[in-house]
Amino acid sequence: MSLPNINPSLTPHWKALQIHFDELIDFDLKSEFSKNPSRAEAFSASFEDIFLDYSKNLINEKTMSLLMGLLKDVKLKEAIEAQFNGDIINQTESRAVLHTALRSNNAIPVYVDGENITPGVAEVKRKIKSFCDQVILGQQKGYSGKSFSDVVNIGIGGSDLGPAMVVDALGFYRNHLKVHFISNIDGDHVFETIKNLNPETTLFVIVSKTFTTQETLTNATTIRKWFLETAPDYAVSNHFVAVSTNIEKVTDFGIEPENIFPMNDWVGGRFSMWSAVGLSIALAIGYEKFESLLEGAGHMDQHFKDTPFEQNIPVIMACLSVWYINFHDVQTEGVIPYSQYLNQFSTYLQQAIMESNGKYVDRNGHKVNYRTSSVVWGEPGTNSQHAFFQLLHQGTTLIPCDFIGFKKSLFENKEHQDKLMANFFAQTEALMVGKSEEEVLSEINQKGMVDKSIVPFKIFEGNRPTNTLLIDQLTPKSLGRLIALYEHKIFVQGVVWNIFSFDQYGVELGKQLASSVLSDFDNLNVSSHDASTAQLMRRYLN
Ligand code: F6P
């Protein structure tokens, strides 16, 4: 079955939501809370250790019921079944979308082109486990007989961002291996990373689904050359492994077949950390904890698949995002984790969300007449409070934000944790309740200030929406759940917007032009380029 193909803007519930938006024009969150003492509980949902409070949103019961109606109109239920069944829902690339199969318990067969893929998934997992165990225990050694101390992941996009984010996020659980990530074709990134590494004790993991990506192949080639400056040729087989679907190209690169960790084309790059692409994660935290990450994600898959939409966390969060983007005309959304470990979470989400849903062509090949993905960004709190929160509180743009916090810290310092979480709760409260003119006046009167000209600058309008995700503790399992939550949110939004979320043709043009610019560097000919680009190239070449 292919995905349903329904223009959401022509559905009854979309139209009803437009009328409803006008009804809510004077909606005031504070008064909604006063009117309805059970508002907080009514707009909350939980699953395992994740609690979502979405009551601080510009919604009422009718909003949610219309949004649920919209999901029926666009046949979300059928779309979810198609995805989990392994149907070819990535139609523009003729592929199934089955990252969920990588974290299921493999008890239920999943068929792609008539073949049960679960035994293959289990086999790759066994290979990852055995390799990681040997490297971590020091049994797998470098060419000079020393154990590995460092791992370098060479990849970009989905072959970098997910693993890099998780390795950072699970820093608390890491073993002795130091894991580095090289992604950018910027040679300074490459040489800065390897400058202090000892080739004798460093393992290189080249990750590229296609094994054709310019950045990864250039970086891998440069690194192999650097490695061979001190190591003998035969040492490449001890020190270089690869993850890819393109076994032929990996072999051509000179990687031994036993050092290849295969992946499948039914896993999209930005959803691939659960496959062998997560090898660096498994090396950093050990295979068992990598399994826990997968398990957490698998639980979220079940929640997404089986829970009624009204209590389904990814579905609720997707609906709220649609409400803001398509009815409030919101263009950007923030994700603010209150954990320094999640420093790279928003960066990772940028690819997952914007490469998936940043599209203006619908499933009929027509230009859409509604917005699709917002711009997603964020930084951990409390740092971000001292950076861009001014704009969240008093700027002219409505920016809905997800706040993500943990009840327990990992090093268990109560003073720090209480202060962190006090900020976490206070910010969403401040964004919602704001501060009125009367409150400001009363404050300055108390201080005995006679000049009242400062008043307008101290007023906070409030009424600014947030979601709060409160999670017990940052563990491999809870992180798996959290990431899978956002993956499913992306899927739901793609279904609503009637776009193909699993291709990425929008990155192709820039790649094509880069290779044309590069060859024109060689022949010193800028004439085929527009005047601005030609001028810049001339300046670079002179
Ligand atoms: O940026 C485009 C893209 O194709 C991403 O979707 C992908 O994650 C990245 O490049 C890397 O691709 P590969 O893993 O094939 O090297």
Side-chain angles (χ1 to χ4, degrees):
M1 194 187 106
S2 51
L3 285 177
N5 185 348
I6 295 158
N7 180 339
S9 70
L10 302 178
T11 63
H13 285 95
W14 186 282
K15 289 182 183 154
L17 280 159
Q18 280 171 327
I19 297 167
H20 177 64
F21 174 78
D22 291 336
E23 287 165 8
L24 293 195
I25 210 76
D26 294 321
F27 185 90
D28 178 50
L29 264 172
K30 247 194 319 182
S31 26
E32 292 297 316
F33 273 98
S34 334
K35 277 194 287 191
N36 177 4
S38 55
R39 181 178 167 91
E41 299 83 63
F43 294 122
S44 294
S46 60
F47 172 64
E48 294 186 347
D49 69 342
I50 297 190
F51 181 77
L52 166 68
D53 179 329
Y54 60 102
S55 61
K56 294 191 185 84
N57 278 291
L58 308 175
I59 52 159
N60 60 21
E61 299 284 355
K62 187 171 171 191
T63 324
M64 288 316 288
S65 125
L66 291 175
L67 286 164
M68 294 296 150
L70 176 63
L71 301 181
K72 271 217 179 93
D73 289 348
V74 298
K75 299 196 190 316
L76 177 65
K77 189 110 201 83
E78 290 83 336
I80 295 174
E81 273 162 26
Q83 182 194 6
F84 279 84
N85 277 346
D87 294 351
I88 308 296
I89 62 162
N90 177 3
Q91 279 166 247
T92 41
E93 295 181 333
S94 296
R95 289 171 184 163
V97 175
L98 279 173
H99 45 278
T100 48
L102 298 163
R103 56 222 191 182
S104 83
N105 60 16
N106 294 336
I108 304 162
V110 182
Y111 293 93
V112 174
D113 294 331
E115 193 192 328
N116 179 12
I117 58 168
T118 54
V121 170
E123 195 183 316
V124 176
K125 281 188 187 173
R126 276 196 294 274
K127 184 167 171 146
I128 298 174
K129 178 179 177 351
S130 136
F131 181 75
C132 290
D133 287 352
Q134 285 179 52
V135 172
I136 295 165
L137 292 173
Q139 291 159 353
Q140 173 104 0
K141 299 197 192 295
Y143 70 92
S144 63
K146 294 183 184 154
S147 305
F148 290 111
S149 58
D150 292 80
V151 175
V152 180
N153 187 96
I154 309 165
I156 196 163
S159 299
D160 165 76
L161 290 165
M165 180 274 286
V166 172
V167 167
D168 202 33
L170 298 180
F172 182 79
Y173 302 92
R174 280 169 60 175
N175 52 41
H176 64 284
L177 290 172
K178 292 189 274 304
V179 183
H180 315 263
F181 289 85
I182 293 180
S183 51
N184 202 322
I185 199 155
D186 178 359
D188 290 344
H189 185 198
V190 178
F191 291 106
E192 181 58 38
T193 310
I194 59 178
K195 76 179 182 194
N196 293 322
L197 292 180
N198 178 359
E200 286 177 66
T201 57
T202 304
L203 174 71
F204 299 96
V205 183
I206 310 171
V207 188
S208 176
K209 181 177 167 184
T210 55
F211 225 77
T212 55
T213 304
Q214 185 198 44
E215 290 91 337
T216 303
L217 293 193
T218 307
N219 290 341
T221 307
T222 301
I223 286 171
R224 186 177 54 186
K225 198 164 152 233
W226 167 85
F227 177 77
L228 289 174
E229 279 166 16
T230 49
D233 281 356
Y234 70 82
V236 169
S237 68
N238 293 49
H239 288 257
F240 286 78
V241 301
V243 179
S244 185
T245 55
N246 196 339
I247 309 301
E248 201 181 317
K249 281 237 167 1
V250 180
T251 318
D252 291 350
F253 185 86
I255 306 274
E256 302 292 328
E258 64 270 22
N259 289 341
I260 304 175
F261 293 80
M263 59 184 289
N264 300 85
D265 70 0
W266 40 259
V267 184
R270 51 193 174 276
F271 301 95
S272 64
M273 68 167 80
W274 322 101
S275 70
V277 169
L279 187 61
S280 298
I281 304 174
L283 284 163
I285 60 175
Y287 184 80
E288 277 67 31
K289 294 193 190 83
F290 179 63
E291 257 307 337
S292 297
L293 181 84
L294 301 188
E295 199 192 327
H299 287 195
M300 183 52 76
D301 295 342
Q302 290 308 318
H303 169 74
F304 176 56
K305 206 157 80 74
D306 301 336
T307 310
F309 292 160
E310 289 76 10
Q311 283 102 47
N312 192 313
I313 296 180
V315 170
I316 293 168
M317 288 179 70
C319 281
L320 293 166
S321 184
V322 165
W323 172 237
Y324 291 119
I325 294 172
N326 298 109
F327 300 93
H328 284 262
D329 209 18
V330 150
Q331 299 189 31
T332 102
E333 292 172 284
V335 179
I336 323 288
Y338 274 64
S339 163
Q340 196 56 33
Y341 282 119
L342 292 185
N343 193 24
Q344 297 189 49
F345 191 61
S346 316
T347 314
Y348 152 77
L349 279 183
Q350 286 179 331
Q351 186 203 14
I353 297 175
M354 297 199 272
E355 196 167 89
S356 300
N357 287 340
K359 290 166 188 168
Y360 67 77
V361 176
D362 71 11
R363 292 196 205 123
N364 296 302
H366 299 149
K367 198 166 171 175
V368 297
N369 59 345
Y370 42 84
R371 275 192 201 289
T372 59
S373 178
S374 63
V375 176
V376 176
W377 53 281
E379 283 289 320
T382 59
N383 290 6
S384 50
Q385 294 176 194
H386 300 270
F388 54 76
F389 268 50
Q390 164 66 40
L391 184 143
L392 295 184
H393 286 286
Q394 287 189 320
T396 52
T397 315
L398 179 68
I399 305 177
C401 290
D402 294 346
F403 278 65
I404 303 169
F406 298 90
K407 280 161 70 178
K408 273 190 260 156
S409 69
L410 293 172
F411 283 96
E412 294 177 11
N413 182 299
K414 187 162 161 37
E415 185 195 345
H416 282 268
Q417 179 67 2
D418 283 350
K419 286 181 179 167
L420 176 74
M421 293 309 277
N423 277 279
F424 175 71
F425 297 125
Q427 287 296 335
T428 61
E429 185 169 37
L431 284 162
M432 179 183 81
V433 301
K435 193 188 267 186
S436 66
E437 187 173 353
E438 297 70 51
E439 287 169 307
V440 176
L441 270 171
S442 130
E443 261 181 27
I444 66 170
N445 285 339
Q446 268 172 27
K447 286 184 187 150
M449 287 165 71
V450 185
D451 182 1
K452 309 281 191 264
S453 60
I454 195 70
V455 171
F457 305 99
K458 295 198 161 217
I459 295 171
F460 292 68
E461 288 174 334
N463 217 28
R464 303 196 173 207
T466 54
N467 286 317
T468 299
L469 282 168
L470 188 59
I471 304 172
D472 282 355
Q473 196 168 32
L474 180 57
T475 62
K477 209 164 167 178
S478 69
L479 183 65
R481 270 192 288 260
L482 180 67
I483 299 167
L485 186 174
Y486 277 95
E487 288 182 342
H488 295 314
K489 179 185 173 211
I490 293 166
F491 177 79
V492 175
Q493 287 181 271
V495 171
V496 171
W497 291 325
N498 202 34
I499 53 178
F500 287 118
S501 299
F502 298 100
D503 63 20
Q504 54 284 318
Y505 291 110
V507 300
E508 295 305 326
L509 176 61
K511 286 187 195 170
Q512 265 170 20
L513 286 184
S515 71
S516 131
V517 171
L518 188 62
S519 59
D520 289 340
F521 282 168
D522 292 338
N523 51 37
L524 299 177
N525 177 5
V526 300
S527 61
S528 67
H529 299 274
D530 67 85
S532 161
T533 310
Q535 160 181 266
L536 294 165
M537 287 170 69
R538 244 181 262 113
R539 281 188 169 255
Y540 176 68
L541 293 169
N542 286 332

